[in-house]
């Protein structure tokens, strides 16, 4: 069976206030053409269909168009909700849509209930594991401590239990939305850390033939059977060097997996430029970036006059401007933002305790801080789900 693995469409998202709807519509067209031209047997969408729980109407209309076009092809689609989606909203009408061959899996309780498709070699069971927010699903899965590894392991136990009841030789595919150890993150993914831990080991998914992952925006191979497709479009300048693509996966009768990477359309290239304003405006080697979307980091020791206007004369696609004067790290004028760059909220809180008291938090205090941040995270997730 030939599968097309994609994820993280983030319909409705903008890029530094520039709408991406036209580019997203172009991607949907590319997806449909690929399904038709490459004789795809099933499409897998591993979460974050929308960019937020309550998407704009134009994004909903684009999603509706995508569903109709996929259904018209007669090719089954299996789709799960991600951490950006409202599982309840995305799952509305799932029973009816199911009849058109579009299988929406948004309920954690259905983790062990697969979509079963058949090819010349027999059945293939597709298990959809929507994003599992630990604090909200720990009771469903009967785990004592809320954590990503615990709830995913419990969900996979249900998958393996169901698979054990099926005919020998039944192949299996899992769709999941998670941060798996070994994956490389970018700036545009929402933090899902709980208890100081965001990632789960790939071994959680042992026992199935292919795992179609979503959440991380870079296309990545964790193992030959565990892969991220990445987002089809770049959603932050940290993705400048990404090659946006989908996986065309052939699942053989004996469960052997082969995968081919298929490129997605690039609406406009991205570039990150760094230097003094005068150097950037004068450097002939930068001519190749004049039609790109650009993030500029100016290193002038003194902020120059009208930098954005002057940059826009040469680089009309300049969307982001950062000031980072070249100074020693111990310079007292070093900006607060630069001192905090790369540090998590929890690390910043720990640094604050050390600053005001002269010593960092002890083990008990670290535990209290961790519980506080986890509680805030869980509360935010609960409010997002209830919207």
């Amino acid at each position: 069976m030939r599968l097309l693995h994609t994820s993280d469409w983030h319909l409705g998202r903008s890029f530094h206030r520039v709408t991406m709807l036209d580019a997203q519509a172009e991607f949907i067209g590319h997806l449909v053409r690929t399904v038709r031209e490459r004789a795809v047997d099933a499409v897998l969408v591993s979460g974050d269909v929308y960019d937020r729980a309550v998407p704009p109407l134009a994004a909903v209309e684009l999603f509706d168009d995508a569903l109709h076009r996929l259904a018209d092809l007669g090719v089954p689609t299996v789709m799960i909700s991600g951490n950006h989606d409202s599982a309840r909203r995305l799952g509305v009408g799932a029973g009816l849509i199911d009849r058109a061959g579009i299988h929406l899996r948004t309920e954690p309780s259905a983790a062990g209930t697969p979509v079963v498709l058949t090819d010349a070699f027999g059945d293939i069971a597709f298990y959809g594991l929507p994003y599992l927010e630990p604090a909200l699903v720990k009771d469903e899965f009967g785990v004592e401590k809320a954590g990503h590894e615990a709830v995913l392991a419990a969900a996979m136990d249900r998958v393996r239990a169901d698979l054990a009841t099926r005919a020998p030789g039944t192949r299996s595919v899992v769709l999941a939305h998670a941060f798996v150890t070994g994956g490389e993150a970018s700036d545009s993914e929402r933090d899902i850390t709980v208890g100081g831990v965001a990632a789960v080991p790939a071994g959680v998914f042992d026992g199935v033939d292919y795992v179609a992952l979503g959440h991380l925006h870079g296309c990545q191979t964790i193992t030959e059977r565990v892969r991220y497709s990445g987002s089809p479009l770049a959603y932050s300048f940290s993705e400048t060097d990404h090659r946006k693509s989908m996986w065309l996966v052939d699942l053989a009768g004996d469960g052997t997996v082969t995968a081919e990477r298929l490129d997605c359309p690039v609406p406009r290239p991205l570039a990150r430029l760094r230097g003094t304003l005068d150097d950037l405006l004068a450097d002939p080697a930068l001519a190749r970036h004049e039609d790109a979307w650009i993030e500029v980091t100016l290193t002038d020791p003194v902020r120059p006059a009208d930098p954005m206007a002057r940059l826009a004369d040469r680089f009309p696609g300049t969307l982001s401007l950062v000031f980072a004067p070249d100074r020693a790290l111990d310079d007292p004028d070093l900006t607060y933002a630069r001192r905090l760059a790369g540090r998590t909220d929890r690390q910043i809180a720990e640094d604050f305790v050390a600053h005001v008291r002269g010593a960092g938090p002890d083990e008990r205090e670290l535990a209290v801080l961790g519980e506080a941040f986890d509680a805030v995270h869980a509360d935010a997730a609960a409010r997002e789900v209830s919207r």
Side-chain angles (χ1 to χ4, degrees):
M1 182 170 285
R2 173 163 285 184
L3 314 173
L4 186 62
H5 168 198
T6 179
S7 72
D8 295 273
W9 294 357
H10 288 277
L11 300 181
R13 187 164 188 157
S14 60
F15 185 80
H16 290 267
R17 298 178 300 281
V18 175
T19 180
M20 298 292 286
L21 275 170
D22 287 345
Q24 289 169 339
E26 183 180 357
F27 162 70
I28 295 299
H30 170 72
L31 173 74
V32 172
R33 288 191 299 274
T34 300
V35 171
R36 184 174 58 248
E37 294 170 3
R38 298 301 298 267
V40 170
D41 297 306
V43 177
L44 313 180
V45 186
S46 299
D48 282 354
V49 175
Y50 291 121
D51 188 56
R52 54 184 184 268
V54 185
L57 179 58
V60 176
E61 291 173 340
L62 179 56
F63 178 58
D64 182 64
D65 177 64
L67 293 185
H68 278 84
R69 295 172 73 178
L70 288 169
D72 286 346
L73 290 175
V75 175
T77 297
V78 185
M79 183 178 296
I80 63 173
S81 51
N83 62 302
H84 280 250
D85 297 310
S86 166
R88 291 181 181 178
R89 282 187 170 83
L90 188 63
V92 168
L96 289 173
I97 297 172
D98 205 72
R99 300 178 188 178
I102 307 293
H103 308 285
L104 292 171
R105 292 295 179 264
T106 64
E107 291 293 334
S109 59
T113 304
V115 175
V116 179
L117 303 178
T118 304
D119 66 4
F121 302 100
D123 288 346
I124 304 174
F126 292 82
Y127 298 90
L129 309 186
Y131 172 67
L132 303 175
E133 175 59 45
L136 303 182
V137 302
K138 67 183 183 69
D139 292 338
E140 165 65 34
F141 291 106
V143 299
E144 294 183 3
K145 187 175 181 180
H148 289 290
E149 183 174 353
V151 297
L152 266 174
M156 283 302 301
D157 284 344
R158 293 188 184 183
V159 168
R160 284 184 282 264
D162 178 84
L163 194 56
T165 68
R166 299 191 175 274
T170 299
R171 289 155 290 162
S172 54
V173 174
V174 165
L175 290 77
H177 196 87
F179 189 166
V180 174
T181 303
E184 183 177 345
S186 60
D187 292 344
S188 54
E189 297 127 8
R190 183 180 293 168
D191 181 28
I192 59 171
T193 300
V194 173
V197 178
V200 300
V204 165
F205 300 104
D206 286 350
V208 297
D209 294 304
Y210 184 72
V211 181
L213 292 174
H215 180 58
L216 299 185
H217 288 186
C219 182
Q220 302 170 60
T221 300
I222 306 300
T223 73
E224 287 304 306
R225 295 183 182 274
V226 181
R227 297 172 186 265
Y228 282 101
S229 66
S231 61
L233 297 165
Y235 292 118
S236 74
F237 280 106
S238 66
E239 301 170 49
T240 297
D241 295 328
H242 285 191
R243 174 187 162 197
K244 295 302 183 181
S245 54
M246 304 177 287
W247 287 113
L248 188 68
V249 178
D250 286 316
L251 184 59
D254 62 357
T256 301
V257 170
T258 57
E260 178 186 354
R261 197 171 172 185
L262 305 181
D263 290 327
C264 293
V266 179
R268 195 164 179 173
L270 306 184
R272 289 177 126 171
L273 306 182
R274 183 185 182 93
T276 65
L277 179 59
D278 287 343
D279 287 347
L280 295 176
L281 295 178
D283 188 350
L286 300 181
R288 67 185 188 279
H289 299 307
E290 290 175 357
D291 292 326
W293 278 328
I294 297 176
E295 177 186 76
V296 175
T297 299
L298 292 181
T299 60
D300 299 74
V302 177
R303 184 175 301 211
D306 299 322
M308 182 60 95
R310 293 166 66 187
L311 284 165
D313 284 341
R314 184 180 186 190
F315 306 107
T318 303
L319 299 181
S320 175
L321 182 57
V322 179
F323 293 96
D326 284 333
R327 295 171 179 162
L329 290 177
D330 59 356
D331 189 323
D333 291 331
L334 192 65
T335 68
Y336 182 69
R338 289 188 67 191
R339 292 200 300 273
L340 298 184
R343 302 189 67 74
T344 65
D345 289 344
R346 183 171 171 175
Q347 289 171 329
I348 293 169
E350 293 169 8
D351 290 347
F352 177 76
V353 173
H355 174 71
V356 298
R357 194 171 63 186
D362 58 27
E363 290 188 8
R364 182 184 63 82
E365 292 166 335
L366 286 172
V368 170
L369 280 171
E371 291 171 1
F373 277 105
D374 287 349
V376 170
H377 178 93
D379 180 66
R383 284 187 283 106
E384 186 80 358
V385 167
S386 66
R387 293 180 62 192

